[in-house]
Amino acid sequence: MNTPASPKQRLIIIGNGMVGHHLVEQLVEQGALERYQVTVFGEERHLAYDRVHLSEYFSGRDAESLALSTADYYAEHGIELRLNEAVFAIDRDVSEVVTDQDRYPYDRVVLATGSFPFVPPIPGNDREGCLVYRTLEDLDAIRAAAEHANTGVVVGGGLLGLEAANALRGLDLDTAVVEFAPRLMPMQVDSEGGELLREKIETLGVQVLTERATQRIEDGDTARHRMVFQDDKILETDLIVFSAGIRPRDELARDCGLEIGERGGVVIDDQCLTSDPQILAIGEVALWQQSIFGLVAPGYQMAKAALATLTDGETRFQGADMSTKLKLLGVDVGSIGDAHGNQNPGARNFRYLDQIKQEYRKLVVSSDGKKLLGAMLVGDNGYFDTLMQYYDNGLELPEDPASLILPSSEGAPALGPDALPETATICSCHNVTKGDICASLDAGAVDLATVKGDTKASSGCGGCAALLKSVVDHELTARGVEVDQSICEHFHYTRQELFDIVRIEGIKTFSELVEKHGHGLGCDICKPAVASILASCFNEPITDAAHIPLQDTNDTFMANMQKNGTYSVVPRIAGGEITPDKLVVLGQVAQKYDLYTKITGGQRIDLFGARLEDLPDIWGELIEAGFETGHAYGKSLRTVKSCVGSTWCRYGVQDSVGMAIRLENRYKGLRAPHKIKFGVSGCTRECAEAQSKDIGVIATEHGWNLYVCGNGGMRPRHAELFATDLSDEELFSTIDRFLMFYVRTADRLQRTSVWRENLEGGLDYLKEVILDDSLGLGDELERQMQTVIDNYQCEWANAISDPDKLKRFRSFVNDERPDPDIIMTSERGQLRPA
Amino acid sequence: MNTATALKDEAHTDVTWQPLCTKADLVAFSGVAAWLETAEGPAQVAIFYLPGLEQELYALEHRDPFSGANVIARGIVGDIKGDAVVASPIYKQHFRLKDGSCVEDDSVTLRTWPIRLDGEKIVIEA
Ligand SMILES: Cc1cc2nc3c(=O)[nH]c(=O)nc-3n(C[C@H](O)[C@H](O)[C@H](O)COP(=O)(O)OP(=O)(O)OC[C@H]3O[C@@H](n4cnc5c(N)ncnc54)[C@H](O)[C@@H]3O)c2cc1C
Ligand code: HEM
Ligand code: SF4
Ligand code: SF4
Ligand code: FES
C-alpha cells in the first residue's frame, strides 16, 4: 500500500464543458487519479455547467444552479482547475500546452473544446446587437441588448434556433425566425411536419420566414438593423441572434497538425485517439466515422471510451443514436433513427396528420413491414417511448404498424415492460439498460429511489422517469415484491380503504386509528390525509387539540404560509360579492397590520405578510365586521366564481351570483382529498369560465346545466356535461352526491379531474352512480353531506374564542418579540418579502 | 466519544442548563418555538414533545436552511423507518429529531441542543 508509486502521468484536459467535466467525474469514480495528475483548462469564466438547460437561465435559474459541480470537488480530488485560461497552442515537439500565462508539460492531452455557433458570412454580421446562443455570457449579452429592444430575429430555424426564439419571446420581444431552408427543423422533420410546426409556432406569435437568405445587414429606419434578403425584401429588427449550426472548435488541433475532417472536426478512432496517440478528443469537437455528434449523450459515451483508453480498459466508442425528443416553444417534436426514410432503400412509410389537433406522426418501416427504421413526431411526444423501444431493440412490429401512431383514447398502445429485452436502453442520458436495472434489483434494491441511486437513471434530462418507474414496478412484481399501494409506511391501506375504516368504525382521532390499524408516529403524508378524512366524516374544528398535530402548518394556523414564514389571510367573499362597507374594513385591516393586498383569480382579496402573532387580532377585526374564514389554506372548497348574471347583465337568464353564494355557503368548510373550485355563469356565454372548474354551473332558460371534473392549473381539463336543466333543488342534491362520492373514493391529493380520468367506467359510470343511483348510495351520500353542512362553524371564530387555541399564535412561547428575521421591503407602494 | 463530551464541558464553563419555558407551553406530538440567549448570541429553538417515547423532548434549530425562514417548529412530526422526524412546512424536507440530520440531503444538519424536563420547567443546555 505504501510502496512509492511510479510518478504520476500528467494529463491535461482542454475545455471544461459538459463532456470535459464528465471525463473528470469518470476519472474520479474509476480511481484513475492514482495514475494521473490532472489539470483542466477552461476558457469560460464559469465552471462546467448544464448547457442542455441553458435556456432556463432566462426562466429563473442562475449560473450556480446550472453548474455541474463545484470548485471544492476539483480541489478535494487534487485536480487543478484553471478557468478563464484558454489554451492557444499545443506544442507537440516538446509535449507542452501553451496559454497566455505559462507552458504546461503533458504526457496525455484530451481535447474537449466543444463547438462554436456558426455565423454566416453576411456583411454586417458583426454589428452591435448581433449575437449568438451558446454560453452563459452570450445569454447575458442577449439579456442586456433586449433591454433596449422591441423586436428580435433568430437566423436559423433548427433546434437551437427555436430555443433561442423562445428565449427572445420570453424577454418580451416581437420575435421572428428566419430560415434558409423551405421549412423549420429541416434535419428532424419533413415538409408536412415542418408546415405543422410553423402553424403551431405562428399561433404563439412568432413570425416564421422560410426560404430567406440574408444578403446583408445595415442600419434600419424603424429599428436598429435592417436585414435585406435575396429578393430585396427587408425585415427590420433591434436584435439578431445567429443560430445557423455549430462548428467544431478544432483550431488547436489544426494548428498542431492533427488530422482534421474535410468539413472540420478532429478525427478520432474508436478509442477516441487522434492521429497523435498522445492526444485524445471527445465531445462535439470530435469527428468519428465522418460524423460530429451534437448531443450530450454521445459525448458522455466518448468520455467513457477515453477513460478506458487512458486506463487500459475495454470500452470503445461505437457511434450513438441521434434520436431526439424535444419540446420547442411548447411544441413536442420527436425524431427517431432514419426519420426521413432516405437511408434505407425500399423503406415504407405510414403517416398520420390531424390538422385540427395539429399532430403529425410518421413511421418508416422496413420493406417487409417487420422492423421500425425511423419515426417522426410533431405535436405529441406521448408516442415516443414506445416507438423508441421498437427501434432501439429491433423488436418485431405488430401486424398493423399504423396502430402505433393512430390516436386512441389511451394514447399509443404501450409496450409493456416485459416485452423489452434486457439490452433495451431505458435512460439514454446515463446509458442505463433494462439489464442494469434488473442487476440493481438483484443486488438488493427494493424501490425506485435505490435503483436511481445505483444506476443514475433518470438523473439527467428526466425524460425517462415514467418508463423507469414502470420497468421497476414490473420487475418488482415479477420478483414477488408486492408493489405497495399504501398511503405511506405507517398504514398498509389506500386512502379509500382508510376512509371506509374511519366511517364504518366511527374512529374519531388519529391516535385511535394508528393504534388499531397502523403503527409508528405517522408522517406528513398520512397525518394530513387522515385529518382530511376525519373532517369529511365528522367536521369537528380542525384546531381541536386532538387534530392539531395532524395538520399542515396552513391548517394549524388557518392561513397559508408564504416563503418567508409569514402567512396570508383570505376571508371568504362568497360568489365574489362584497359590500362597500366590508371592502373598507379589508382596507383598514391591511393598513393597520401592514399587509400586502392582491385580488386573486378566485374573486376575492388576499392579505399577505401577516405575522403569526398578529393573526388572531386580524381575524378578530375581520370577524367583527362579518367576515369568516375562506379556507384558502385547506384542501377544501375554495371559491365559487360567478359572472354578474341576470341581475345586471343583458344576456343573463338566471341569477348566477345568487346561486354562487348559495353554493359557496352550502359547501364551505367541506374537507376533501384536494381543493375544490366552482364556477357559475348566468348564460351560455360562460363569462365565469365554469367549465374549467371541478363543478361548473351554467344557466339555461329552464334551470341549470351541471358540468363536472374540470380543472385549470398545470394540466387544464374541460369539465364534462353531467346533467341538464336542473332545478335549484336538483342541482344541490346532485352536487351533494357527486362531491361526497369524490371525497369517499379519491386518492389523497387527487383533484376531481384526475380522479375522473382514473375512474373505471368513466363518465357513464359516474352518471349511473350519481344520477341513476346504481349503487343505492344516493341517500347515504346526501345524508353524509348534510352532516358536514350542519356541523359547519367558522374555524377562526371558534379559535379566537378559545384562549388555549390562541396560545399557538406566538412566535416564541417564552418571549413576546416578533420573529426579528422577517424583513420586508416595499415595491409598487406595498410591502413584500425582502 | 465520552471524553470528547467531557472535555467540551470543561472547556466551555459558560454552558449551563437554563430554563426555557414550562411544560404547559408545549403541544404534544407537535412543536413550539422558543427564544434562547446564549453566550454566542441569541438563537431560535424548535421544541418537540413526544410523550410516551423513549426520548420525549427534542430541541432543534428553528431556522429552515432551505428557505431561510424560521418555521421548523411548525412542521408535522412523524417517523421515517422508526426515526422521529419533522417535515419542514415550506419545501417538506425531513429532519431527524435525534440529531438534526436531513433525510433528503446528507450535507445539511440542523443544530441540536440537549433538553430535558425539570419538574414543570423545560431546561436546555446552552
Ligand atoms: C441552448 C442549447 C441547448 C441544447 N440542448 C441540448 C439537448 O436538449 N440535448 C442534447 O443532447 N444536447 C443539447 N445541446 C448540446 C450540448 O450542450 C452539447 O452537445 C454539449 O454541451 C457538448 O459538450 P462539449 O463538452 O463537447 O462542449 P461544450 O459544452 O461546448 O464545452 C466546451 C468547453 O471548452 C471550452 N474551450 C474551447 N476551446 C478552448 C481552449 N482553447 N482552451 C480552453 N477551453 C476551451 C469552451 O469555452 C467550452 O466551455 C444544447 C446546446 C445548446 C447551446
Ligand atoms: C403552495 C402551493 C399553492 C398555494 C400557496 C396557492 C395559493 C393560492 C391562493 C391563495 C389562491 C387564491 C385562491 C382564493 O382566492 O381562494 C390561488 C388561486 C389559484 N391557484 Fe393556487 N396555490 C398553490 C398551488 C397551486 C397549484 C399547484 C395550482 C395548479 C394546479 C394552483 C392553481 C390555482 C388557480 C388556477 C387559481 C385561481 C383560482 C380561480 O380562478 O378560481 N395553485 N392559489
Ligand atoms: S355568462 Fe352570460 S350572464 Fe354571465 S356575464 Fe356573461 S353574458 Fe352575462
Ligand atoms: S402559479 Fe400558483 S404556485 Fe405558481 S407562483 Fe403563482 S400562486 Fe404560486
Ligand atoms: S433519459 Fe435523460 S435522464 Fe434518463
Side-chain angles (χ1 to χ4, degrees), chain A residues 168-185:
Chain A
L168 294 191
R169 207 170 63 104
L171 292 168
D172 279 342
L173 301 185
D174 251 329
T175 306
V177 174
V178 175
E179 166 62 48
F180 175 75
R183 60 172 182 273
L184 292 171
M185 298 193 61

Side-chain angles (χ1 to χ4, degrees), chain A residues 450-490:
Chain A
T450 320
V451 173
K452 279 187 187 172
D454 282 358
T455 61
K456 285 203 173 173
S458 188
S459 62
C461 69
C464 58
L467 184 59
L468 176 69
K469 180 169 173 359
S470 76
V471 170
V472 170
D473 283 355
H474 175 267
E475 288 301 315
L476 282 174
T477 314
R479 284 167 168 67
V481 179
E482 203 176 315
V483 180
D484 208 350
Q485 304 285 333
S486 30
I487 172 161
C488 69
E489 62 177 90
H490 304 102

Side-chain angles (χ1 to χ4, degrees), chain A residues 643-645 649 651-652 681-683 685-687:
Chain A
C643 74
V644 78
C649 175
Y651 300 110
S681 282
C683 80
R685 285 167 191 76
E686 241 285 67
C687 295

Side-chain angles (χ1 to χ4, degrees), chain A residues 560 600-602 604 606 632 638-639 641 675 677 693 713-714:
Chain A
N560 289 6
T600 70
R604 49 191 185 176
D606 277 19
R638 291 293 170 82
T639 64
K641 184 172 173 179
K675 59 186 168 193
K677 299 177 180 179
K693 307 293 183 204
M714 204 147 40

Side-chain angles (χ1 to χ4, degrees), chain A residues 13-22 40-55 68 82-89 98-99 111-117 133-135 138-139 159-161 163-164 246 249-252 282-286 293-300 302 323-328 429 461:
Chain A
I13 302 176
I14 307 179
N16 188 227
M18 298 190 74
V19 174
H21 174 71
H22 194 73
V40 179
F41 291 94
E43 173 191 66
E44 292 186 65
R45 189 157 61 79
H46 299 280
L47 199 139
Y49 52 87
D50 186 354
R51 207 178 299 287
V52 171
H53 293 112
L54 185 66
S55 296
L68 295 173
R82 306 189 68 93
L83 293 177
N84 216 354
E85 183 171 348
V87 172
F88 65 77
V98 189
T99 76
L111 278 167
T113 48
S115 39
F116 67 93
Y133 200 83
R134 172 101 198 157
T135 64
D138 294 339
L139 267 59
L159 187 164
L160 293 180
E163 237 189 274
I246 54 168
R249 293 198 57 178
D250 53 14
E251 62 273 10
L252 290 174
I282 56 177
E284 281 187 352
V285 73
F293 295 86
L295 294 174
V296 55
Y300 285 180
M302 288 183 202
S323 302
T324 38
K325 171 165 116 180
L326 303 152
K327 200 177 200 82
L328 292 166
C429 288
C461 69

Side-chain angles (χ1 to χ4, degrees), chain A residues 67-277:
Chain A
L68 295 173
S69 182
T70 60
D72 286 349
Y73 174 88
Y74 278 73
E76 233 169 70
H77 294 98
I79 297 166
E80 186 178 3
L81 177 61
R82 306 189 68 93
L83 293 177
N84 216 354
E85 183 171 348
V87 172
F88 65 77
I90 304 176
D91 190 340
R92 289 166 56 199
D93 295 336
V94 291
S95 293
E96 287 178 350
V97 305
V98 189
T99 76
D100 59 357
Q101 315 226 351
D102 211 342
R103 300 177 68 92
Y104 303 84
Y106 65 79
D107 296 301
R108 299 305 281 275
V109 168
V110 178
L111 278 167
T113 48
S115 39
F116 67 93
F118 172 63
V119 177
I122 302 168
N125 64 11
D126 53 352
R127 294 164 55 92
E128 196 184 318
C130 290
L131 305 159
V132 295
Y133 200 83
R134 172 101 198 157
T135 64
L136 285 171
E137 246 145 54
D138 294 339
L139 267 59
D140 284 333
I142 292 174
R143 194 186 328 236
E147 288 205 350
H148 311 286
N150 296 314
T151 50
V153 167
V154 176
V155 177
L159 187 164
L160 293 180
L162 294 183
E163 237 189 274
N166 193 35
L168 294 191
R169 207 170 63 104
L171 292 168
D172 279 342
L173 301 185
D174 251 329
T175 306
V177 174
V178 175
E179 166 62 48
F180 175 75
R183 60 172 182 273
L184 292 171
M185 298 193 61
M187 308 287 280
Q188 286 85 0
V189 303
D190 59 14
S191 47
E192 265 96 356
E195 203 41 48
L196 203 66
L197 198 58
R198 167 208 287 268
E199 275 175 36
K200 293 198 106 168
I201 287 172
E202 283 182 339
T203 38
L204 297 172
V206 173
Q207 200 186 341
V208 178
L209 303 170
T210 48
E211 289 183 274
R212 296 264 160 210
T214 313
Q215 301 299 313
R216 61 181 184 278
I217 305 169
E218 52 194 33
D219 283 338
D221 286 334
T222 56
R224 196 177 313 156
H225 313 286
R226 169 190 292 156
M227 305 171 68
V228 184
F229 300 115
Q230 79 275 25
D231 50 5
D232 287 330
K233 295 228 164 89
I234 58 159
L235 178 64
E236 300 224 331
T237 179
D238 295 324
L239 186 160
I240 300 174
V241 175
F242 288 102
S243 179
I246 54 168
R247 296 287 182 272
R249 293 198 57 178
D250 53 14
E251 62 273 10
L252 290 174
R254 218 178 261 278
D255 292 348
C256 70
L258 297 181
E259 188 186 345
I260 303 289
E262 230 165 84
R263 297 170 59 204
V266 183
V267 175
I268 59 165
D269 63 8
D270 297 356
Q271 291 191 274
C272 295
L273 292 172
T274 67
S275 55
D276 174 348

